[in-house]
Amino acid sequence: MLAIVVLAGCGGGGAKRLSRTEYASRADAICGKYNQQTKALANPANLSDLAKVADKTIPILDSALGDLRKLKPPTDEQATVDQWLGQIENLKGDLTEIRDKAKSNDMKGVQAVVPKATQHNARSNQLASQLGMSVCNKD
C-alpha cells in the first residue's frame, strides 16, 4: 500500500490558456514522465529502504508539480485544477511524513499515514479523471 504514495503525482508549460484536451494531454505527458522516474526506484523492502525511496521521490514530485503549475488550464477548469494540485501537495506532505517516520524506524507511524495518503491519492485520481486525463488518474 505504501507504493500508492510513491506513485502518486504528475505535468508541462505555456503562457496562454490551453483547451481542455491540450491541458489533459500535457498534464498526462508530465505524469508519464514522473511515473517512469518513480518506477525506476526499487520497491522498498524495509523502513530504511522506504526512507531512501521517499527521499528520491520527493524531488521528482516537486519537479512534476512545478511543471504542472506552469500549465494554464481553461478558465472554467481552474478551480478543479487547483483542487487537483492541492491533492498532489497533500500527497507530497504524506510522503514526507512517511519518510520521516521510516527514518525514525516507526512502522506504526508509517502505517498510520497510509489511510490518509490513500484517500488523497484516490481524490487526486478522481479529479484527474474529471479533468479528462488518462495517465494522471492512475496509480
Side-chain angles (χ1 to χ4, degrees):
M1 284 186 80
L2 296 175
I4 293 169
V5 175
V6 175
L7 300 175
C10 311
K16 71 176 185 89
R17 294 259 174 206
L18 300 169
S19 71
R20 174 183 169 82
T21 303
E22 290 170 328
Y23 182 83
S25 175
R26 290 188 188 185
D28 274 341
I30 294 167
C31 291
K33 178 182 168 187
Y34 168 82
N35 289 343
Q36 283 302 111
Q37 291 172 330
T38 57
K39 282 180 186 172
L41 301 174
N43 285 331
N46 55 49
L47 288 177
S48 177
D49 288 350
L50 177 60
K52 289 175 189 170
V53 168
D55 269 337
K56 292 177 182 174
T57 302
I58 292 168
I60 296 169
L61 183 54
D62 271 337
S63 177
L65 272 165
D67 288 347
L68 287 168
R69 290 193 188 289
K70 292 175 190 172
L71 297 177
K72 303 289 184 209
T75 304
D76 62 345
E77 292 197 337
Q78 185 67 60
T80 305
V81 167
D82 290 344
Q83 290 176 39
W84 176 56
L85 294 174
Q87 290 303 314
I88 297 171
E89 286 285 353
N90 288 341
L91 280 165
K92 183 178 136 192
D94 298 338
L95 184 56
T96 300
E97 192 174 349
I98 286 170
R99 179 205 58 201
D100 294 346
K101 302 275 187 202
K103 282 184 177 180
S104 298
N105 206 30
D106 180 3
M107 178 60 90
K108 286 186 180 183
V110 168
Q111 291 172 333
V113 178
V114 172
K116 76 175 177 179
T118 301
Q119 183 179 14
H120 291 148
N121 189 59
R123 182 66 177 140
S124 171
N125 290 345
Q126 177 187 31
L127 290 164
S129 292
Q130 193 175 323
L131 291 164
M133 297 171 204
S134 60
V135 176
C136 296
N137 64 347
K138 307 275 191 284
D139 291 337

PDB file of all heavy atoms in Angstrom, residues 58-94:
ATOM      1  N   ILE A  58      10.477  12.540  -3.486  1.00  0.00           N
ATOM      2  CA  ILE A  58      10.004  13.891  -3.163  1.00  0.00           C
ATOM      3  C   ILE A  58      10.504  14.931  -4.166  1.00  0.00           C
ATOM      4  O   ILE A  58       9.698  15.725  -4.677  1.00  0.00           O
ATOM      5  CB  ILE A  58      10.310  14.254  -1.697  1.00  0.00           C
ATOM      6  CG1 ILE A  58       9.446  13.384  -0.756  1.00  0.00           C
ATOM      7  CG2 ILE A  58      10.074  15.742  -1.429  1.00  0.00           C
ATOM      8  CD1 ILE A  58       9.860  13.429   0.703  1.00  0.00           C
ATOM      9  N   PRO A  59      11.804  14.960  -4.525  1.00  0.00           N
ATOM     10  CA  PRO A  59      12.231  15.952  -5.518  1.00  0.00           C
ATOM     11  C   PRO A  59      11.622  15.718  -6.908  1.00  0.00           C
ATOM     12  O   PRO A  59      11.361  16.668  -7.636  1.00  0.00           O
ATOM     13  CB  PRO A  59      13.755  15.817  -5.564  1.00  0.00           C
ATOM     14  CG  PRO A  59      14.148  14.841  -4.541  1.00  0.00           C
ATOM     15  CD  PRO A  59      12.927  14.236  -3.934  1.00  0.00           C
ATOM     16  N   ILE A  60      11.385  14.457  -7.263  1.00  0.00           N
ATOM     17  CA  ILE A  60      10.742  14.147  -8.540  1.00  0.00           C
ATOM     18  C   ILE A  60       9.317  14.701  -8.524  1.00  0.00           C
ATOM     19  O   ILE A  60       8.859  15.320  -9.489  1.00  0.00           O
ATOM     20  CB  ILE A  60      10.754  12.627  -8.819  1.00  0.00           C
ATOM     21  CG1 ILE A  60      12.187  12.123  -8.981  1.00  0.00           C
ATOM     22  CG2 ILE A  60       9.920  12.288 -10.046  1.00  0.00           C
ATOM     23  CD1 ILE A  60      12.318  10.601  -8.992  1.00  0.00           C
ATOM     24  N   LEU A  61       8.624  14.492  -7.412  1.00  0.00           N
ATOM     25  CA  LEU A  61       7.263  15.008  -7.268  1.00  0.00           C
ATOM     26  C   LEU A  61       7.258  16.536  -7.294  1.00  0.00           C
ATOM     27  O   LEU A  61       6.406  17.150  -7.932  1.00  0.00           O
ATOM     28  CB  LEU A  61       6.633  14.484  -5.979  1.00  0.00           C
ATOM     29  CG  LEU A  61       5.186  14.870  -5.700  1.00  0.00           C
ATOM     30  CD1 LEU A  61       4.272  14.517  -6.858  1.00  0.00           C
ATOM     31  CD2 LEU A  61       4.705  14.199  -4.420  1.00  0.00           C
ATOM     32  N   ASP A  62       8.227  17.163  -6.634  1.00  0.00           N
ATOM     33  CA  ASP A  62       8.352  18.627  -6.667  1.00  0.00           C
ATOM     34  C   ASP A  62       8.515  19.127  -8.095  1.00  0.00           C
ATOM     35  O   ASP A  62       7.897  20.118  -8.496  1.00  0.00           O
ATOM     36  CB  ASP A  62       9.561  19.092  -5.840  1.00  0.00           C
ATOM     37  CG  ASP A  62       9.229  19.354  -4.396  1.00  0.00           C
ATOM     38  OD1 ASP A  62       8.048  19.618  -4.081  1.00  0.00           O
ATOM     39  OD2 ASP A  62      10.153  19.309  -3.570  1.00  0.00           O
ATOM     40  N   SER A  63       9.341  18.461  -8.852  1.00  0.00           N
ATOM     41  CA  SER A  63       9.575  18.839 -10.243  1.00  0.00           C
ATOM     42  C   SER A  63       8.296  18.699 -11.066  1.00  0.00           C
ATOM     43  O   SER A  63       7.942  19.589 -11.849  1.00  0.00           O
ATOM     44  CB  SER A  63      10.685  17.969 -10.833  1.00  0.00           C
ATOM     45  OG  SER A  63      10.882  18.256 -12.183  1.00  0.00           O
ATOM     46  N   ALA A  64       7.597  17.593 -10.877  1.00  0.00           N
ATOM     47  CA  ALA A  64       6.329  17.383 -11.595  1.00  0.00           C
ATOM     48  C   ALA A  64       5.316  18.466 -11.221  1.00  0.00           C
ATOM     49  O   ALA A  64       4.644  19.022 -12.098  1.00  0.00           O
ATOM     50  CB  ALA A  64       5.768  15.994 -11.288  1.00  0.00           C
ATOM     51  N   LEU A  65       5.212  18.774  -9.941  1.00  0.00           N
ATOM     52  CA  LEU A  65       4.290  19.830  -9.504  1.00  0.00           C
ATOM     53  C   LEU A  65       4.665  21.173 -10.130  1.00  0.00           C
ATOM     54  O   LEU A  65       3.785  21.929 -10.570  1.00  0.00           O
ATOM     55  CB  LEU A  65       4.289  19.951  -7.981  1.00  0.00           C
ATOM     56  CG  LEU A  65       3.305  19.067  -7.245  1.00  0.00           C
ATOM     57  CD1 LEU A  65       3.639  19.008  -5.762  1.00  0.00           C
ATOM     58  CD2 LEU A  65       1.882  19.539  -7.452  1.00  0.00           C
ATOM     59  N   GLY A  66       5.947  21.464 -10.191  1.00  0.00           N
ATOM     60  CA  GLY A  66       6.400  22.703 -10.821  1.00  0.00           C
ATOM     61  C   GLY A  66       5.996  22.763 -12.282  1.00  0.00           C
ATOM     62  O   GLY A  66       5.499  23.792 -12.765  1.00  0.00           O
ATOM     63  N   ASP A  67       6.180  21.651 -12.984  1.00  0.00           N
ATOM     64  CA  ASP A  67       5.788  21.592 -14.395  1.00  0.00           C
ATOM     65  C   ASP A  67       4.272  21.723 -14.557  1.00  0.00           C
ATOM     66  O   ASP A  67       3.795  22.417 -15.458  1.00  0.00           O
ATOM     67  CB  ASP A  67       6.260  20.283 -15.031  1.00  0.00           C
ATOM     68  CG  ASP A  67       7.765  20.235 -15.255  1.00  0.00           C
ATOM     69  OD1 ASP A  67       8.431  21.295 -15.150  1.00  0.00           O
ATOM     70  OD2 ASP A  67       8.285  19.136 -15.515  1.00  0.00           O
ATOM     71  N   LEU A  68       3.521  21.059 -13.699  1.00  0.00           N
ATOM     72  CA  LEU A  68       2.063  21.142 -13.777  1.00  0.00           C
ATOM     73  C   LEU A  68       1.563  22.562 -13.512  1.00  0.00           C
ATOM     74  O   LEU A  68       0.625  23.018 -14.150  1.00  0.00           O
ATOM     75  CB  LEU A  68       1.426  20.165 -12.775  1.00  0.00           C
ATOM     76  CG  LEU A  68       1.524  18.697 -13.146  1.00  0.00           C
ATOM     77  CD1 LEU A  68       1.134  17.820 -11.968  1.00  0.00           C
ATOM     78  CD2 LEU A  68       0.665  18.383 -14.363  1.00  0.00           C
ATOM     79  N   ARG A  69       2.192  23.241 -12.580  1.00  0.00           N
ATOM     80  CA  ARG A  69       1.766  24.604 -12.252  1.00  0.00           C
ATOM     81  C   ARG A  69       2.034  25.588 -13.388  1.00  0.00           C
ATOM     82  O   ARG A  69       1.412  26.639 -13.453  1.00  0.00           O
ATOM     83  CB  ARG A  69       2.447  25.073 -10.968  1.00  0.00           C
ATOM     84  CG  ARG A  69       1.927  24.340  -9.748  1.00  0.00           C
ATOM     85  CD  ARG A  69       2.352  25.001  -8.454  1.00  0.00           C
ATOM     86  NE  ARG A  69       2.007  24.199  -7.302  1.00  0.00           N
ATOM     87  CZ  ARG A  69       0.790  23.986  -6.835  1.00  0.00           C
ATOM     88  NH1 ARG A  69      -0.243  24.506  -7.439  1.00  0.00           N
ATOM     89  NH2 ARG A  69       0.586  23.242  -5.766  1.00  0.00           N
ATOM     90  N   LYS A  70       2.943  25.257 -14.296  1.00  0.00           N
ATOM     91  CA  LYS A  70       3.221  26.113 -15.446  1.00  0.00           C
ATOM     92  C   LYS A  70       2.127  26.029 -16.503  1.00  0.00           C
ATOM     93  O   LYS A  70       2.002  26.930 -17.330  1.00  0.00           O
ATOM     94  CB  LYS A  70       4.567  25.735 -16.078  1.00  0.00           C
ATOM     95  CG  LYS A  70       5.755  26.053 -15.207  1.00  0.00           C
ATOM     96  CD  LYS A  70       7.033  25.543 -15.859  1.00  0.00           C
ATOM     97  CE  LYS A  70       8.205  25.636 -14.900  1.00  0.00           C
ATOM     98  NZ  LYS A  70       9.405  24.958 -15.457  1.00  0.00           N
ATOM     99  N   LEU A  71       1.368  24.939 -16.491  1.00  0.00           N
ATOM    100  CA  LEU A  71       0.283  24.784 -17.462  1.00  0.00           C
ATOM    101  C   LEU A  71      -0.863  25.731 -17.132  1.00  0.00           C
ATOM    102  O   LEU A  71      -1.164  25.952 -15.962  1.00  0.00           O
ATOM    103  CB  LEU A  71      -0.238  23.343 -17.454  1.00  0.00           C
ATOM    104  CG  LEU A  71       0.742  22.251 -17.864  1.00  0.00           C
ATOM    105  CD1 LEU A  71       0.061  20.892 -17.733  1.00  0.00           C
ATOM    106  CD2 LEU A  71       1.244  22.463 -19.276  1.00  0.00           C
ATOM    107  N   LYS A  72      -1.501  26.242 -18.166  1.00  0.00           N
ATOM    108  CA  LYS A  72      -2.640  27.155 -17.983  1.00  0.00           C
ATOM    109  C   LYS A  72      -3.911  26.437 -18.434  1.00  0.00           C
ATOM    110  O   LYS A  72      -4.182  26.343 -19.631  1.00  0.00           O
ATOM    111  CB  LYS A  72      -2.445  28.430 -18.806  1.00  0.00           C
ATOM    112  CG  LYS A  72      -1.167  29.188 -18.517  1.00  0.00           C
ATOM    113  CD  LYS A  72      -1.218  29.855 -17.176  1.00  0.00           C
ATOM    114  CE  LYS A  72       0.041  30.680 -16.964  1.00  0.00           C
ATOM    115  NZ  LYS A  72       0.415  30.790 -15.586  1.00  0.00           N
ATOM    116  N   PRO A  73      -4.694  25.933 -17.475  1.00  0.00           N
ATOM    117  CA  PRO A  73      -5.921  25.222 -17.852  1.00  0.00           C
ATOM    118  C   PRO A  73      -6.979  26.206 -18.352  1.00  0.00           C
ATOM    119  O   PRO A  73      -6.866  27.419 -18.136  1.00  0.00           O
ATOM    120  CB  PRO A  73      -6.364  24.578 -16.541  1.00  0.00           C
ATOM    121  CG  PRO A  73      -5.836  25.497 -15.493  1.00  0.00           C
ATOM    122  CD  PRO A  73      -4.531  26.020 -16.020  1.00  0.00           C
ATOM    123  N   PRO A  74      -8.015  25.684 -18.979  1.00  0.00           N
ATOM    124  CA  PRO A  74      -9.134  26.554 -19.344  1.00  0.00           C
ATOM    125  C   PRO A  74      -9.669  27.247 -18.091  1.00  0.00           C
ATOM    126  O   PRO A  74      -9.663  26.665 -17.004  1.00  0.00           O
ATOM    127  CB  PRO A  74     -10.180  25.595 -19.918  1.00  0.00           C
ATOM    128  CG  PRO A  74      -9.428  24.358 -20.277  1.00  0.00           C
ATOM    129  CD  PRO A  74      -8.259  24.289 -19.344  1.00  0.00           C
ATOM    130  N   THR A  75     -10.129  28.456 -18.253  1.00  0.00           N
ATOM    131  CA  THR A  75     -10.631  29.244 -17.119  1.00  0.00           C
ATOM    132  C   THR A  75     -11.694  28.485 -16.334  1.00  0.00           C
ATOM    133  O   THR A  75     -11.677  28.486 -15.098  1.00  0.00           O
ATOM    134  CB  THR A  75     -11.199  30.588 -17.616  1.00  0.00           C
ATOM    135  OG1 THR A  75     -10.177  31.261 -18.364  1.00  0.00           O
ATOM    136  CG2 THR A  75     -11.633  31.467 -16.468  1.00  0.00           C
ATOM    137  N   ASP A  76     -12.593  27.809 -17.042  1.00  0.00           N
ATOM    138  CA  ASP A  76     -13.698  27.119 -16.360  1.00  0.00           C
ATOM    139  C   ASP A  76     -13.250  25.843 -15.638  1.00  0.00           C
ATOM    140  O   ASP A  76     -14.044  25.228 -14.918  1.00  0.00           O
ATOM    141  CB  ASP A  76     -14.849  26.827 -17.326  1.00  0.00           C
ATOM    142  CG  ASP A  76     -14.473  25.903 -18.473  1.00  0.00           C
ATOM    143  OD1 ASP A  76     -13.258  25.681 -18.717  1.00  0.00           O
ATOM    144  OD2 ASP A  76     -15.391  25.405 -19.148  1.00  0.00           O
ATOM    145  N   GLU A  77     -11.993  25.446 -15.791  1.00  0.00           N
ATOM    146  CA  GLU A  77     -11.487  24.270 -15.079  1.00  0.00           C
ATOM    147  C   GLU A  77     -10.435  24.632 -14.030  1.00  0.00           C
ATOM    148  O   GLU A  77      -9.911  23.748 -13.356  1.00  0.00           O
ATOM    149  CB  GLU A  77     -10.922  23.261 -16.074  1.00  0.00           C
ATOM    150  CG  GLU A  77     -12.005  22.650 -16.947  1.00  0.00           C
ATOM    151  CD  GLU A  77     -11.572  21.383 -17.636  1.00  0.00           C
ATOM    152  OE1 GLU A  77     -10.365  21.161 -17.831  1.00  0.00           O
ATOM    153  OE2 GLU A  77     -12.465  20.603 -17.983  1.00  0.00           O
ATOM    154  N   GLN A  78     -10.140  25.915 -13.877  1.00  0.00           N
ATOM    155  CA  GLN A  78      -9.084  26.341 -12.959  1.00  0.00           C
ATOM    156  C   GLN A  78      -9.349  25.880 -11.527  1.00  0.00           C
ATOM    157  O   GLN A  78      -8.441  25.406 -10.849  1.00  0.00           O
ATOM    158  CB  GLN A  78      -8.916  27.866 -13.001  1.00  0.00           C
ATOM    159  CG  GLN A  78      -7.747  28.372 -12.158  1.00  0.00           C
ATOM    160  CD  GLN A  78      -6.399  27.945 -12.695  1.00  0.00           C
ATOM    161  OE1 GLN A  78      -6.038  28.277 -13.825  1.00  0.00           O
ATOM    162  NE2 GLN A  78      -5.626  27.211 -11.897  1.00  0.00           N
ATOM    163  N   ALA A  79     -10.585  25.993 -11.067  1.00  0.00           N
ATOM    164  CA  ALA A  79     -10.900  25.596  -9.681  1.00  0.00           C
ATOM    165  C   ALA A  79     -10.660  24.097  -9.471  1.00  0.00           C
ATOM    166  O   ALA A  79     -10.115  23.693  -8.441  1.00  0.00           O
ATOM    167  CB  ALA A  79     -12.337  25.969  -9.326  1.00  0.00           C
ATOM    168  N   THR A  80     -11.042  23.289 -10.448  1.00  0.00           N
ATOM    169  CA  THR A  80     -10.819  21.840 -10.342  1.00  0.00           C
ATOM    170  C   THR A  80      -9.328  21.531 -10.383  1.00  0.00           C
ATOM    171  O   THR A  80      -8.835  20.697  -9.625  1.00  0.00           O
ATOM    172  CB  THR A  80     -11.569  21.095 -11.470  1.00  0.00           C
ATOM    173  OG1 THR A  80     -12.953  21.470 -11.423  1.00  0.00           O
ATOM    174  CG2 THR A  80     -11.454  19.587 -11.316  1.00  0.00           C
ATOM    175  N   VAL A  81      -8.596  22.224 -11.255  1.00  0.00           N
ATOM    176  CA  VAL A  81      -7.142  22.041 -11.335  1.00  0.00           C
ATOM    177  C   VAL A  81      -6.506  22.414  -9.998  1.00  0.00           C
ATOM    178  O   VAL A  81      -5.627  21.692  -9.499  1.00  0.00           O
ATOM    179  CB  VAL A  81      -6.543  22.868 -12.498  1.00  0.00           C
ATOM    180  CG1 VAL A  81      -5.025  22.935 -12.398  1.00  0.00           C
ATOM    181  CG2 VAL A  81      -6.967  22.286 -13.839  1.00  0.00           C
ATOM    182  N   ASP A  82      -6.950  23.504  -9.408  1.00  0.00           N
ATOM    183  CA  ASP A  82      -6.404  23.917  -8.113  1.00  0.00           C
ATOM    184  C   ASP A  82      -6.654  22.855  -7.046  1.00  0.00           C
ATOM    185  O   ASP A  82      -5.772  22.574  -6.227  1.00  0.00           O
ATOM    186  CB  ASP A  82      -6.994  25.262  -7.681  1.00  0.00           C
ATOM    187  CG  ASP A  82      -6.508  26.427  -8.541  1.00  0.00           C
ATOM    188  OD1 ASP A  82      -5.507  26.279  -9.273  1.00  0.00           O
ATOM    189  OD2 ASP A  82      -7.161  27.492  -8.492  1.00  0.00           O
ATOM    190  N   GLN A  83      -7.842  22.253  -7.066  1.00  0.00           N
ATOM    191  CA  GLN A  83      -8.141  21.170  -6.112  1.00  0.00           C
ATOM    192  C   GLN A  83      -7.230  19.973  -6.366  1.00  0.00           C
ATOM    193  O   GLN A  83      -6.714  19.368  -5.429  1.00  0.00           O
ATOM    194  CB  GLN A  83      -9.601  20.724  -6.245  1.00  0.00           C
ATOM    195  CG  GLN A  83     -10.611  21.723  -5.760  1.00  0.00           C
ATOM    196  CD  GLN A  83     -12.032  21.222  -6.016  1.00  0.00           C
ATOM    197  OE1 GLN A  83     -12.315  20.034  -5.850  1.00  0.00           O
ATOM    198  NE2 GLN A  83     -12.907  22.111  -6.420  1.00  0.00           N
ATOM    199  N   TRP A  84      -7.065  19.642  -7.640  1.00  0.00           N
ATOM    200  CA  TRP A  84      -6.219  18.501  -8.012  1.00  0.00           C
ATOM    201  C   TRP A  84      -4.782  18.721  -7.551  1.00  0.00           C
ATOM    202  O   TRP A  84      -4.192  17.850  -6.911  1.00  0.00           O
ATOM    203  CB  TRP A  84      -6.300  18.294  -9.529  1.00  0.00           C
ATOM    204  CG  TRP A  84      -5.405  17.221 -10.052  1.00  0.00           C
ATOM    205  CD1 TRP A  84      -5.375  15.912  -9.662  1.00  0.00           C
ATOM    206  CD2 TRP A  84      -4.415  17.354 -11.060  1.00  0.00           C
ATOM    207  NE1 TRP A  84      -4.418  15.222 -10.377  1.00  0.00           N
ATOM    208  CE2 TRP A  84      -3.825  16.086 -11.243  1.00  0.00           C
ATOM    209  CE3 TRP A  84      -3.974  18.416 -11.850  1.00  0.00           C
ATOM    210  CZ2 TRP A  84      -2.815  15.859 -12.175  1.00  0.00           C
ATOM    211  CZ3 TRP A  84      -2.982  18.183 -12.776  1.00  0.00           C
ATOM    212  CH2 TRP A  84      -2.402  16.918 -12.929  1.00  0.00           C
ATOM    213  N   LEU A  85      -4.232  19.889  -7.870  1.00  0.00           N
ATOM    214  CA  LEU A  85      -2.859  20.187  -7.451  1.00  0.00           C
ATOM    215  C   LEU A  85      -2.749  20.203  -5.923  1.00  0.00           C
ATOM    216  O   LEU A  85      -1.728  19.794  -5.368  1.00  0.00           O
ATOM    217  CB  LEU A  85      -2.384  21.511  -8.058  1.00  0.00           C
ATOM    218  CG  LEU A  85      -2.241  21.511  -9.583  1.00  0.00           C
ATOM    219  CD1 LEU A  85      -1.907  22.904 -10.090  1.00  0.00           C
ATOM    220  CD2 LEU A  85      -1.219  20.492 -10.053  1.00  0.00           C
ATOM    221  N   GLY A  86      -3.797  20.635  -5.254  1.00  0.00           N
ATOM    222  CA  GLY A  86      -3.817  20.602  -3.789  1.00  0.00           C
ATOM    223  C   GLY A  86      -3.739  19.183  -3.253  1.00  0.00           C
ATOM    224  O   GLY A  86      -3.060  18.925  -2.247  1.00  0.00           O
ATOM    225  N   GLN A  87      -4.403  18.261  -3.917  1.00  0.00           N
ATOM    226  CA  GLN A  87      -4.329  16.854  -3.500  1.00  0.00           C
ATOM    227  C   GLN A  87      -2.927  16.296  -3.715  1.00  0.00           C
ATOM    228  O   GLN A  87      -2.422  15.520  -2.898  1.00  0.00           O
ATOM    229  CB  GLN A  87      -5.365  16.008  -4.255  1.00  0.00           C
ATOM    230  CG  GLN A  87      -6.794  16.272  -3.853  1.00  0.00           C
ATOM    231  CD  GLN A  87      -7.045  16.056  -2.372  1.00  0.00           C
ATOM    232  OE1 GLN A  87      -6.631  15.060  -1.791  1.00  0.00           O
ATOM    233  NE2 GLN A  87      -7.707  17.009  -1.748  1.00  0.00           N
ATOM    234  N   ILE A  88      -2.281  16.711  -4.792  1.00  0.00           N
ATOM    235  CA  ILE A  88      -0.904  16.265  -5.026  1.00  0.00           C
ATOM    236  C   ILE A  88       0.017  16.844  -3.953  1.00  0.00           C
ATOM    237  O   ILE A  88       0.908  16.159  -3.452  1.00  0.00           O
ATOM    238  CB  ILE A  88      -0.440  16.636  -6.449  1.00  0.00           C
ATOM    239  CG1 ILE A  88      -1.301  15.907  -7.487  1.00  0.00           C
ATOM    240  CG2 ILE A  88       1.038  16.272  -6.647  1.00  0.00           C
ATOM    241  CD1 ILE A  88      -1.074  16.363  -8.920  1.00  0.00           C
ATOM    242  N   GLU A  89      -0.225  18.094  -3.569  1.00  0.00           N
ATOM    243  CA  GLU A  89       0.541  18.697  -2.464  1.00  0.00           C
ATOM    244  C   GLU A  89       0.316  17.903  -1.172  1.00  0.00           C
ATOM    245  O   GLU A  89       1.250  17.678  -0.402  1.00  0.00           O
ATOM    246  CB  GLU A  89       0.146  20.163  -2.246  1.00  0.00           C
ATOM    247  CG  GLU A  89       0.668  21.107  -3.294  1.00  0.00           C
ATOM    248  CD  GLU A  89       2.158  21.415  -3.178  1.00  0.00           C
ATOM    249  OE1 GLU A  89       2.815  20.995  -2.195  1.00  0.00           O
ATOM    250  OE2 GLU A  89       2.665  22.069  -4.093  1.00  0.00           O
ATOM    251  N   ASN A  90      -0.939  17.493  -0.938  1.00  0.00           N
ATOM    252  CA  ASN A  90      -1.240  16.665   0.238  1.00  0.00           C
ATOM    253  C   ASN A  90      -0.452  15.363   0.200  1.00  0.00           C
ATOM    254  O   ASN A  90       0.092  14.922   1.226  1.00  0.00           O
ATOM    255  CB  ASN A  90      -2.737  16.351   0.324  1.00  0.00           C
ATOM    256  CG  ASN A  90      -3.574  17.541   0.716  1.00  0.00           C
ATOM    257  OD1 ASN A  90      -3.078  18.525   1.267  1.00  0.00           O
ATOM    258  ND2 ASN A  90      -4.859  17.483   0.412  1.00  0.00           N
ATOM    259  N   LEU A  91      -0.383  14.757  -0.979  1.00  0.00           N
ATOM    260  CA  LEU A  91       0.382  13.513  -1.127  1.00  0.00           C
ATOM    261  C   LEU A  91       1.861  13.748  -0.854  1.00  0.00           C
ATOM    262  O   LEU A  91       2.520  12.906  -0.249  1.00  0.00           O
ATOM    263  CB  LEU A  91       0.187  12.947  -2.535  1.00  0.00           C
ATOM    264  CG  LEU A  91      -1.115  12.195  -2.739  1.00  0.00           C
ATOM    265  CD1 LEU A  91      -1.395  12.005  -4.219  1.00  0.00           C
ATOM    266  CD2 LEU A  91      -1.073  10.863  -2.024  1.00  0.00           C
ATOM    267  N   LYS A  92       2.363  14.880  -1.297  1.00  0.00           N
ATOM    268  CA  LYS A  92       3.764  15.214  -1.013  1.00  0.00           C
ATOM    269  C   LYS A  92       3.979  15.309   0.501  1.00  0.00           C
ATOM    270  O   LYS A  92       4.971  14.795   1.026  1.00  0.00           O
ATOM    271  CB  LYS A  92       4.137  16.530  -1.695  1.00  0.00           C
ATOM    272  CG  LYS A  92       5.577  16.906  -1.524  1.00  0.00           C
ATOM    273  CD  LYS A  92       5.865  18.200  -2.273  1.00  0.00           C
ATOM    274  CE  LYS A  92       6.688  19.104  -1.420  1.00  0.00           C
ATOM    275  NZ  LYS A  92       6.792  20.450  -1.900  1.00  0.00           N
ATOM    276  N   GLY A  93       3.045  15.934   1.190  1.00  0.00           N
ATOM    277  CA  GLY A  93       3.128  16.002   2.652  1.00  0.00           C
ATOM    278  C   GLY A  93       3.053  14.627   3.285  1.00  0.00           C
ATOM    279  O   GLY A  93       3.803  14.325   4.230  1.00  0.00           O
ATOM    280  N   ASP A  94       2.164  13.786   2.764  1.00  0.00           N
ATOM    281  CA  ASP A  94       2.053  12.409   3.275  1.00  0.00           C
ATOM    282  C   ASP A  94       3.364  11.656   3.069  1.00  0.00           C
ATOM    283  O   ASP A  94       3.835  10.948   3.962  1.00  0.00           O
ATOM    284  CB  ASP A  94       0.924  11.656   2.560  1.00  0.00           C
ATOM    285  CG  ASP A  94      -0.448  12.259   2.781  1.00  0.00           C
ATOM    286  OD1 ASP A  94      -0.650  12.983   3.783  1.00  0.00           O
ATOM    287  OD2 ASP A  94      -1.329  12.020   1.917  1.00  0.00           O
TER     288      ASP A  94
END
